[in-house]
Amino acid sequence: MFRGLANLNLVAEDMPAAVAWYTAVFDSPPYFTRPEQGPTQYAEWRFGDDDDEFALMDARFRPALAQPGGALVSMHVDDIRAEVDRLIGLGATAFDPITQRGEGWWSASVSDPFGNLLGLIQSPHWAAQHAG
């Protein structure tokens, strides 16, 4: 079952310029970047009343699409494997496989029967923010 939006990922080919621009947009630098040393390939900011997550990643890592696509919004799920299986059972097609992104962090995406890409994330941050 979908529990809420976990993050919004956008891509950029010029990461230094994009990080600088979004730092100005959010009026703060990203709180999280990878790699920790060297040119940034991934950056995250928190914003809004619910500490929503905005992520920017190097275009080299964008999900491979057969045609141009937009932003990938990921919905938090408590059990990513069960949710991927459930969506496939409903007619979705696996797109990006379930991938561990860090301790307790998992992501995947599926294509719905209409060609839309649905992002899923099992996020300890989102779960902790909404516990209780």
Side-chain angles (χ1 to χ4, degrees), residues 18-47:
V19 168
W21 194 81
Y22 279 104
T23 293
V25 167
F26 291 114
D27 197 27
S28 68
Y31 80 95
F32 179 87
T33 59
R34 287 294 180 263
E36 292 180 16
Q37 297 180 2
T40 300
Q41 298 173 359
Y42 182 83
E44 293 178 354
W45 290 261
R46 297 254 185 243
F47 68 97

PDB file of all heavy atoms in Angstrom, residues 18-47:
ATOM      1  N   ALA A  18      23.664  22.908 -11.576  1.00  0.00           N
ATOM      2  CA  ALA A  18      22.352  22.561 -11.024  1.00  0.00           C
ATOM      3  C   ALA A  18      22.363  22.612  -9.499  1.00  0.00           C
ATOM      4  O   ALA A  18      21.419  23.108  -8.877  1.00  0.00           O
ATOM      5  CB  ALA A  18      21.929  21.177 -11.505  1.00  0.00           C
ATOM      6  N   VAL A  19      23.429  22.107  -8.881  1.00  0.00           N
ATOM      7  CA  VAL A  19      23.531  22.165  -7.416  1.00  0.00           C
ATOM      8  C   VAL A  19      23.562  23.621  -6.959  1.00  0.00           C
ATOM      9  O   VAL A  19      22.881  23.993  -5.992  1.00  0.00           O
ATOM     10  CB  VAL A  19      24.750  21.368  -6.902  1.00  0.00           C
ATOM     11  CG1 VAL A  19      25.027  21.672  -5.439  1.00  0.00           C
ATOM     12  CG2 VAL A  19      24.541  19.873  -7.114  1.00  0.00           C
ATOM     13  N   ALA A  20      24.307  24.450  -7.665  1.00  0.00           N
ATOM     14  CA  ALA A  20      24.366  25.874  -7.303  1.00  0.00           C
ATOM     15  C   ALA A  20      22.996  26.529  -7.449  1.00  0.00           C
ATOM     16  O   ALA A  20      22.560  27.296  -6.583  1.00  0.00           O
ATOM     17  CB  ALA A  20      25.400  26.594  -8.167  1.00  0.00           C
ATOM     18  N   TRP A  21      22.286  26.213  -8.519  1.00  0.00           N
ATOM     19  CA  TRP A  21      20.976  26.816  -8.759  1.00  0.00           C
ATOM     20  C   TRP A  21      19.970  26.385  -7.691  1.00  0.00           C
ATOM     21  O   TRP A  21      19.265  27.207  -7.132  1.00  0.00           O
ATOM     22  CB  TRP A  21      20.479  26.454 -10.157  1.00  0.00           C
ATOM     23  CG  TRP A  21      19.326  27.282 -10.598  1.00  0.00           C
ATOM     24  CD1 TRP A  21      19.377  28.539 -11.121  1.00  0.00           C
ATOM     25  CD2 TRP A  21      17.954  26.922 -10.544  1.00  0.00           C
ATOM     26  NE1 TRP A  21      18.105  28.976 -11.414  1.00  0.00           N
ATOM     27  CE2 TRP A  21      17.210  27.999 -11.065  1.00  0.00           C
ATOM     28  CE3 TRP A  21      17.270  25.788 -10.123  1.00  0.00           C
ATOM     29  CZ2 TRP A  21      15.828  27.985 -11.165  1.00  0.00           C
ATOM     30  CZ3 TRP A  21      15.892  25.766 -10.223  1.00  0.00           C
ATOM     31  CH2 TRP A  21      15.183  26.855 -10.733  1.00  0.00           C
ATOM     32  N   TYR A  22      19.918  25.080  -7.401  1.00  0.00           N
ATOM     33  CA  TYR A  22      18.963  24.602  -6.393  1.00  0.00           C
ATOM     34  C   TYR A  22      19.362  25.028  -4.985  1.00  0.00           C
ATOM     35  O   TYR A  22      18.509  25.190  -4.117  1.00  0.00           O
ATOM     36  CB  TYR A  22      18.751  23.089  -6.493  1.00  0.00           C
ATOM     37  CG  TYR A  22      17.771  22.758  -7.592  1.00  0.00           C
ATOM     38  CD1 TYR A  22      18.197  22.246  -8.804  1.00  0.00           C
ATOM     39  CD2 TYR A  22      16.410  22.998  -7.418  1.00  0.00           C
ATOM     40  CE1 TYR A  22      17.297  21.967  -9.820  1.00  0.00           C
ATOM     41  CE2 TYR A  22      15.501  22.730  -8.428  1.00  0.00           C
ATOM     42  CZ  TYR A  22      15.955  22.212  -9.627  1.00  0.00           C
ATOM     43  OH  TYR A  22      15.050  21.949 -10.623  1.00  0.00           O
ATOM     44  N   THR A  23      20.652  25.248  -4.755  1.00  0.00           N
ATOM     45  CA  THR A  23      21.070  25.813  -3.467  1.00  0.00           C
ATOM     46  C   THR A  23      20.467  27.203  -3.311  1.00  0.00           C
ATOM     47  O   THR A  23      19.984  27.562  -2.225  1.00  0.00           O
ATOM     48  CB  THR A  23      22.607  25.842  -3.375  1.00  0.00           C
ATOM     49  OG1 THR A  23      23.077  24.485  -3.330  1.00  0.00           O
ATOM     50  CG2 THR A  23      23.083  26.583  -2.136  1.00  0.00           C
ATOM     51  N   ALA A  24      20.437  27.959  -4.385  1.00  0.00           N
ATOM     52  CA  ALA A  24      19.796  29.269  -4.339  1.00  0.00           C
ATOM     53  C   ALA A  24      18.276  29.137  -4.203  1.00  0.00           C
ATOM     54  O   ALA A  24      17.651  29.873  -3.440  1.00  0.00           O
ATOM     55  CB  ALA A  24      20.151  30.067  -5.590  1.00  0.00           C
ATOM     56  N   VAL A  25      17.683  28.202  -4.919  1.00  0.00           N
ATOM     57  CA  VAL A  25      16.228  28.001  -4.848  1.00  0.00           C
ATOM     58  C   VAL A  25      15.793  27.670  -3.425  1.00  0.00           C
ATOM     59  O   VAL A  25      14.831  28.243  -2.900  1.00  0.00           O
ATOM     60  CB  VAL A  25      15.777  26.884  -5.819  1.00  0.00           C
ATOM     61  CG1 VAL A  25      14.350  26.448  -5.541  1.00  0.00           C
ATOM     62  CG2 VAL A  25      15.926  27.341  -7.269  1.00  0.00           C
ATOM     63  N   PHE A  26      16.510  26.736  -2.790  1.00  0.00           N
ATOM     64  CA  PHE A  26      16.141  26.297  -1.439  1.00  0.00           C
ATOM     65  C   PHE A  26      16.779  27.161  -0.349  1.00  0.00           C
ATOM     66  O   PHE A  26      16.537  26.943   0.835  1.00  0.00           O
ATOM     67  CB  PHE A  26      16.508  24.827  -1.228  1.00  0.00           C
ATOM     68  CG  PHE A  26      15.670  23.883  -2.038  1.00  0.00           C
ATOM     69  CD1 PHE A  26      16.225  23.127  -3.057  1.00  0.00           C
ATOM     70  CD2 PHE A  26      14.309  23.752  -1.791  1.00  0.00           C
ATOM     71  CE1 PHE A  26      15.450  22.256  -3.802  1.00  0.00           C
ATOM     72  CE2 PHE A  26      13.525  22.894  -2.538  1.00  0.00           C
ATOM     73  CZ  PHE A  26      14.098  22.143  -3.552  1.00  0.00           C
ATOM     74  N   ASP A  27      17.625  28.095  -0.745  1.00  0.00           N
ATOM     75  CA  ASP A  27      18.322  28.983   0.189  1.00  0.00           C
ATOM     76  C   ASP A  27      19.162  28.212   1.201  1.00  0.00           C
ATOM     77  O   ASP A  27      19.327  28.621   2.345  1.00  0.00           O
ATOM     78  CB  ASP A  27      17.325  29.905   0.904  1.00  0.00           C
ATOM     79  CG  ASP A  27      18.003  31.103   1.549  1.00  0.00           C
ATOM     80  OD1 ASP A  27      19.078  31.515   1.046  1.00  0.00           O
ATOM     81  OD2 ASP A  27      17.483  31.611   2.557  1.00  0.00           O
ATOM     82  N   SER A  28      19.670  27.065   0.772  1.00  0.00           N
ATOM     83  CA  SER A  28      20.583  26.271   1.607  1.00  0.00           C
ATOM     84  C   SER A  28      21.252  25.226   0.721  1.00  0.00           C
ATOM     85  O   SER A  28      20.679  24.806  -0.290  1.00  0.00           O
ATOM     86  CB  SER A  28      19.855  25.600   2.769  1.00  0.00           C
ATOM     87  OG  SER A  28      18.984  24.606   2.296  1.00  0.00           O
ATOM     88  N   PRO A  29      22.444  24.804   1.123  1.00  0.00           N
ATOM     89  CA  PRO A  29      23.120  23.765   0.350  1.00  0.00           C
ATOM     90  C   PRO A  29      22.446  22.413   0.593  1.00  0.00           C
ATOM     91  O   PRO A  29      21.678  22.248   1.548  1.00  0.00           O
ATOM     92  CB  PRO A  29      24.545  23.773   0.914  1.00  0.00           C
ATOM     93  CG  PRO A  29      24.379  24.272   2.312  1.00  0.00           C
ATOM     94  CD  PRO A  29      23.238  25.249   2.269  1.00  0.00           C
ATOM     95  N   PRO A  30      22.727  21.429  -0.259  1.00  0.00           N
ATOM     96  CA  PRO A  30      22.164  20.104  -0.018  1.00  0.00           C
ATOM     97  C   PRO A  30      22.664  19.552   1.319  1.00  0.00           C
ATOM     98  O   PRO A  30      23.798  19.810   1.720  1.00  0.00           O
ATOM     99  CB  PRO A  30      22.675  19.270  -1.189  1.00  0.00           C
ATOM    100  CG  PRO A  30      23.799  20.027  -1.781  1.00  0.00           C
ATOM    101  CD  PRO A  30      23.621  21.466  -1.406  1.00  0.00           C
ATOM    102  N   TYR A  31      21.798  18.810   2.004  1.00  0.00           N
ATOM    103  CA  TYR A  31      22.210  18.215   3.279  1.00  0.00           C
ATOM    104  C   TYR A  31      22.933  16.891   3.060  1.00  0.00           C
ATOM    105  O   TYR A  31      23.583  16.366   3.963  1.00  0.00           O
ATOM    106  CB  TYR A  31      20.996  18.008   4.200  1.00  0.00           C
ATOM    107  CG  TYR A  31      20.191  16.771   3.883  1.00  0.00           C
ATOM    108  CD1 TYR A  31      20.424  15.571   4.552  1.00  0.00           C
ATOM    109  CD2 TYR A  31      19.216  16.783   2.891  1.00  0.00           C
ATOM    110  CE1 TYR A  31      19.709  14.429   4.244  1.00  0.00           C
ATOM    111  CE2 TYR A  31      18.493  15.657   2.588  1.00  0.00           C
ATOM    112  CZ  TYR A  31      18.751  14.482   3.260  1.00  0.00           C
ATOM    113  OH  TYR A  31      18.046  13.351   2.944  1.00  0.00           O
ATOM    114  N   PHE A  32      22.832  16.342   1.840  1.00  0.00           N
ATOM    115  CA  PHE A  32      23.390  15.024   1.554  1.00  0.00           C
ATOM    116  C   PHE A  32      23.891  15.038   0.116  1.00  0.00           C
ATOM    117  O   PHE A  32      23.169  15.458  -0.780  1.00  0.00           O
ATOM    118  CB  PHE A  32      22.296  13.966   1.715  1.00  0.00           C
ATOM    119  CG  PHE A  32      22.713  12.558   1.419  1.00  0.00           C
ATOM    120  CD1 PHE A  32      23.288  11.770   2.411  1.00  0.00           C
ATOM    121  CD2 PHE A  32      22.517  12.003   0.163  1.00  0.00           C
ATOM    122  CE1 PHE A  32      23.657  10.460   2.145  1.00  0.00           C
ATOM    123  CE2 PHE A  32      22.887  10.695  -0.110  1.00  0.00           C
ATOM    124  CZ  PHE A  32      23.460   9.921   0.886  1.00  0.00           C
ATOM    125  N   THR A  33      25.153  14.597  -0.088  1.00  0.00           N
ATOM    126  CA  THR A  33      25.699  14.472  -1.441  1.00  0.00           C
ATOM    127  C   THR A  33      26.484  13.173  -1.547  1.00  0.00           C
ATOM    128  O   THR A  33      27.004  12.656  -0.558  1.00  0.00           O
ATOM    129  CB  THR A  33      26.627  15.644  -1.805  1.00  0.00           C
ATOM    130  OG1 THR A  33      27.713  15.695  -0.878  1.00  0.00           O
ATOM    131  CG2 THR A  33      25.885  16.967  -1.827  1.00  0.00           C
ATOM    132  N   ARG A  34      26.558  12.657  -2.781  1.00  0.00           N
ATOM    133  CA  ARG A  34      27.373  11.483  -3.065  1.00  0.00           C
ATOM    134  C   ARG A  34      28.040  11.688  -4.411  1.00  0.00           C
ATOM    135  O   ARG A  34      27.396  12.202  -5.315  1.00  0.00           O
ATOM    136  CB  ARG A  34      26.529  10.192  -3.090  1.00  0.00           C
ATOM    137  CG  ARG A  34      26.081   9.730  -1.724  1.00  0.00           C
ATOM    138  CD  ARG A  34      27.281   9.307  -0.881  1.00  0.00           C
ATOM    139  NE  ARG A  34      26.892   8.864   0.432  1.00  0.00           N
ATOM    140  CZ  ARG A  34      26.896   9.582   1.532  1.00  0.00           C
ATOM    141  NH1 ARG A  34      27.237  10.844   1.495  1.00  0.00           N
ATOM    142  NH2 ARG A  34      26.578   9.068   2.693  1.00  0.00           N
ATOM    143  N   PRO A  35      29.283  11.314  -4.588  1.00  0.00           N
ATOM    144  CA  PRO A  35      30.136  10.793  -3.520  1.00  0.00           C
ATOM    145  C   PRO A  35      30.505  11.904  -2.549  1.00  0.00           C
ATOM    146  O   PRO A  35      30.318  13.078  -2.837  1.00  0.00           O
ATOM    147  CB  PRO A  35      31.364  10.269  -4.266  1.00  0.00           C
ATOM    148  CG  PRO A  35      31.424  11.070  -5.526  1.00  0.00           C
ATOM    149  CD  PRO A  35      29.994  11.411  -5.869  1.00  0.00           C
ATOM    150  N   GLU A  36      31.038  11.502  -1.400  1.00  0.00           N
ATOM    151  CA  GLU A  36      31.405  12.488  -0.380  1.00  0.00           C
ATOM    152  C   GLU A  36      32.596  13.330  -0.813  1.00  0.00           C
ATOM    153  O   GLU A  36      32.752  14.456  -0.362  1.00  0.00           O
ATOM    154  CB  GLU A  36      31.676  11.798   0.952  1.00  0.00           C
ATOM    155  CG  GLU A  36      30.406  11.202   1.555  1.00  0.00           C
ATOM    156  CD  GLU A  36      30.640  10.514   2.878  1.00  0.00           C
ATOM    157  OE1 GLU A  36      31.692  10.732   3.504  1.00  0.00           O
ATOM    158  OE2 GLU A  36      29.757   9.752   3.296  1.00  0.00           O
ATOM    159  N   GLN A  37      33.450  12.776  -1.666  1.00  0.00           N
ATOM    160  CA  GLN A  37      34.594  13.511  -2.199  1.00  0.00           C
ATOM    161  C   GLN A  37      34.536  13.433  -3.714  1.00  0.00           C
ATOM    162  O   GLN A  37      34.075  12.453  -4.272  1.00  0.00           O
ATOM    163  CB  GLN A  37      35.904  12.921  -1.682  1.00  0.00           C
ATOM    164  CG  GLN A  37      36.047  13.039  -0.184  1.00  0.00           C
ATOM    165  CD  GLN A  37      37.356  12.439   0.312  1.00  0.00           C
ATOM    166  OE1 GLN A  37      38.174  11.969  -0.447  1.00  0.00           O
ATOM    167  NE2 GLN A  37      37.533  12.476   1.621  1.00  0.00           N
ATOM    168  N   GLY A  38      34.982  14.461  -4.373  1.00  0.00           N
ATOM    169  CA  GLY A  38      34.948  14.492  -5.830  1.00  0.00           C
ATOM    170  C   GLY A  38      33.677  15.160  -6.325  1.00  0.00           C
ATOM    171  O   GLY A  38      32.858  15.639  -5.540  1.00  0.00           O
ATOM    172  N   PRO A  39      33.512  15.195  -7.633  1.00  0.00           N
ATOM    173  CA  PRO A  39      32.344  15.860  -8.216  1.00  0.00           C
ATOM    174  C   PRO A  39      31.028  15.217  -7.746  1.00  0.00           C
ATOM    175  O   PRO A  39      30.890  14.000  -7.723  1.00  0.00           O
ATOM    176  CB  PRO A  39      32.523  15.659  -9.726  1.00  0.00           C
ATOM    177  CG  PRO A  39      33.964  15.338  -9.918  1.00  0.00           C
ATOM    178  CD  PRO A  39      34.405  14.650  -8.659  1.00  0.00           C
ATOM    179  N   THR A  40      30.075  16.055  -7.392  1.00  0.00           N
ATOM    180  CA  THR A  40      28.778  15.572  -6.916  1.00  0.00           C
ATOM    181  C   THR A  40      28.028  14.884  -8.050  1.00  0.00           C
ATOM    182  O   THR A  40      27.898  15.422  -9.141  1.00  0.00           O
ATOM    183  CB  THR A  40      27.936  16.741  -6.364  1.00  0.00           C
ATOM    184  OG1 THR A  40      28.647  17.332  -5.277  1.00  0.00           O
ATOM    185  CG2 THR A  40      26.573  16.288  -5.900  1.00  0.00           C
ATOM    186  N   GLN A  41      27.526  13.684  -7.767  1.00  0.00           N
ATOM    187  CA  GLN A  41      26.709  12.940  -8.706  1.00  0.00           C
ATOM    188  C   GLN A  41      25.264  12.857  -8.221  1.00  0.00           C
ATOM    189  O   GLN A  41      24.364  12.543  -8.999  1.00  0.00           O
ATOM    190  CB  GLN A  41      27.267  11.529  -8.897  1.00  0.00           C
ATOM    191  CG  GLN A  41      28.654  11.527  -9.478  1.00  0.00           C
ATOM    192  CD  GLN A  41      29.271  10.138  -9.510  1.00  0.00           C
ATOM    193  OE1 GLN A  41      28.682   9.160  -9.080  1.00  0.00           O
ATOM    194  NE2 GLN A  41      30.475  10.051 -10.031  1.00  0.00           N
ATOM    195  N   TYR A  42      25.048  13.121  -6.928  1.00  0.00           N
ATOM    196  CA  TYR A  42      23.723  13.030  -6.323  1.00  0.00           C
ATOM    197  C   TYR A  42      23.665  13.996  -5.148  1.00  0.00           C
ATOM    198  O   TYR A  42      24.613  14.072  -4.357  1.00  0.00           O
ATOM    199  CB  TYR A  42      23.474  11.598  -5.830  1.00  0.00           C
ATOM    200  CG  TYR A  42      22.116  11.374  -5.231  1.00  0.00           C
ATOM    201  CD1 TYR A  42      21.014  11.123  -6.033  1.00  0.00           C
ATOM    202  CD2 TYR A  42      21.922  11.422  -3.858  1.00  0.00           C
ATOM    203  CE1 TYR A  42      19.755  10.918  -5.485  1.00  0.00           C
ATOM    204  CE2 TYR A  42      20.674  11.218  -3.293  1.00  0.00           C
ATOM    205  CZ  TYR A  42      19.596  10.963  -4.115  1.00  0.00           C
ATOM    206  OH  TYR A  42      18.358  10.769  -3.576  1.00  0.00           O
ATOM    207  N   ALA A  43      22.580  14.765  -5.047  1.00  0.00           N
ATOM    208  CA  ALA A  43      22.429  15.726  -3.952  1.00  0.00           C
ATOM    209  C   ALA A  43      20.978  15.741  -3.495  1.00  0.00           C
ATOM    210  O   ALA A  43      20.065  15.549  -4.306  1.00  0.00           O
ATOM    211  CB  ALA A  43      22.840  17.121  -4.416  1.00  0.00           C
ATOM    212  N   GLU A  44      20.769  15.956  -2.188  1.00  0.00           N
ATOM    213  CA  GLU A  44      19.417  16.008  -1.635  1.00  0.00           C
ATOM    214  C   GLU A  44      19.239  17.239  -0.762  1.00  0.00           C
ATOM    215  O   GLU A  44      20.142  17.611  -0.004  1.00  0.00           O
ATOM    216  CB  GLU A  44      19.130  14.790  -0.757  1.00  0.00           C
ATOM    217  CG  GLU A  44      19.073  13.488  -1.488  1.00  0.00           C
ATOM    218  CD  GLU A  44      18.832  12.304  -0.558  1.00  0.00           C
ATOM    219  OE1 GLU A  44      18.822  12.466   0.681  1.00  0.00           O
ATOM    220  OE2 GLU A  44      18.657  11.191  -1.080  1.00  0.00           O
ATOM    221  N   TRP A  45      18.049  17.810  -0.854  1.00  0.00           N
ATOM    222  CA  TRP A  45      17.614  18.894   0.021  1.00  0.00           C
ATOM    223  C   TRP A  45      16.322  18.453   0.696  1.00  0.00           C
ATOM    224  O   TRP A  45      15.570  17.665   0.138  1.00  0.00           O
ATOM    225  CB  TRP A  45      17.287  20.154  -0.786  1.00  0.00           C
ATOM    226  CG  TRP A  45      18.454  20.845  -1.401  1.00  0.00           C
ATOM    227  CD1 TRP A  45      19.097  21.943  -0.916  1.00  0.00           C
ATOM    228  CD2 TRP A  45      19.095  20.543  -2.651  1.00  0.00           C
ATOM    229  NE1 TRP A  45      20.097  22.327  -1.771  1.00  0.00           N
ATOM    230  CE2 TRP A  45      20.116  21.482  -2.833  1.00  0.00           C
ATOM    231  CE3 TRP A  45      18.906  19.554  -3.615  1.00  0.00           C
ATOM    232  CZ2 TRP A  45      20.943  21.474  -3.960  1.00  0.00           C
ATOM    233  CZ3 TRP A  45      19.724  19.535  -4.726  1.00  0.00           C
ATOM    234  CH2 TRP A  45      20.737  20.487  -4.893  1.00  0.00           C
ATOM    235  N   ARG A  46      16.041  18.963   1.884  1.00  0.00           N
ATOM    236  CA  ARG A  46      14.753  18.776   2.555  1.00  0.00           C
ATOM    237  C   ARG A  46      14.009  20.101   2.478  1.00  0.00           C
ATOM    238  O   ARG A  46      14.613  21.170   2.577  1.00  0.00           O
ATOM    239  CB  ARG A  46      14.951  18.374   4.013  1.00  0.00           C
ATOM    240  CG  ARG A  46      15.667  17.050   4.160  1.00  0.00           C
ATOM    241  CD  ARG A  46      14.699  15.983   4.575  1.00  0.00           C
ATOM    242  NE  ARG A  46      15.436  14.751   4.825  1.00  0.00           N
ATOM    243  CZ  ARG A  46      15.248  13.657   4.114  1.00  0.00           C
ATOM    244  NH1 ARG A  46      14.376  13.641   3.148  1.00  0.00           N
ATOM    245  NH2 ARG A  46      15.934  12.569   4.382  1.00  0.00           N
ATOM    246  N   PHE A  47      12.694  20.030   2.333  1.00  0.00           N
ATOM    247  CA  PHE A  47      11.907  21.255   2.252  1.00  0.00           C
ATOM    248  C   PHE A  47      10.490  20.999   2.744  1.00  0.00           C
ATOM    249  O   PHE A  47      10.054  19.858   2.845  1.00  0.00           O
ATOM    250  CB  PHE A  47      11.874  21.788   0.804  1.00  0.00           C
ATOM    251  CG  PHE A  47      11.103  20.908  -0.138  1.00  0.00           C
ATOM    252  CD1 PHE A  47       9.785  21.199  -0.449  1.00  0.00           C
ATOM    253  CD2 PHE A  47      11.689  19.792  -0.709  1.00  0.00           C
ATOM    254  CE1 PHE A  47       9.056  20.388  -1.308  1.00  0.00           C
ATOM    255  CE2 PHE A  47      10.976  18.979  -1.570  1.00  0.00           C
ATOM    256  CZ  PHE A  47       9.663  19.279  -1.870  1.00  0.00           C
TER     257      PHE A  47
END
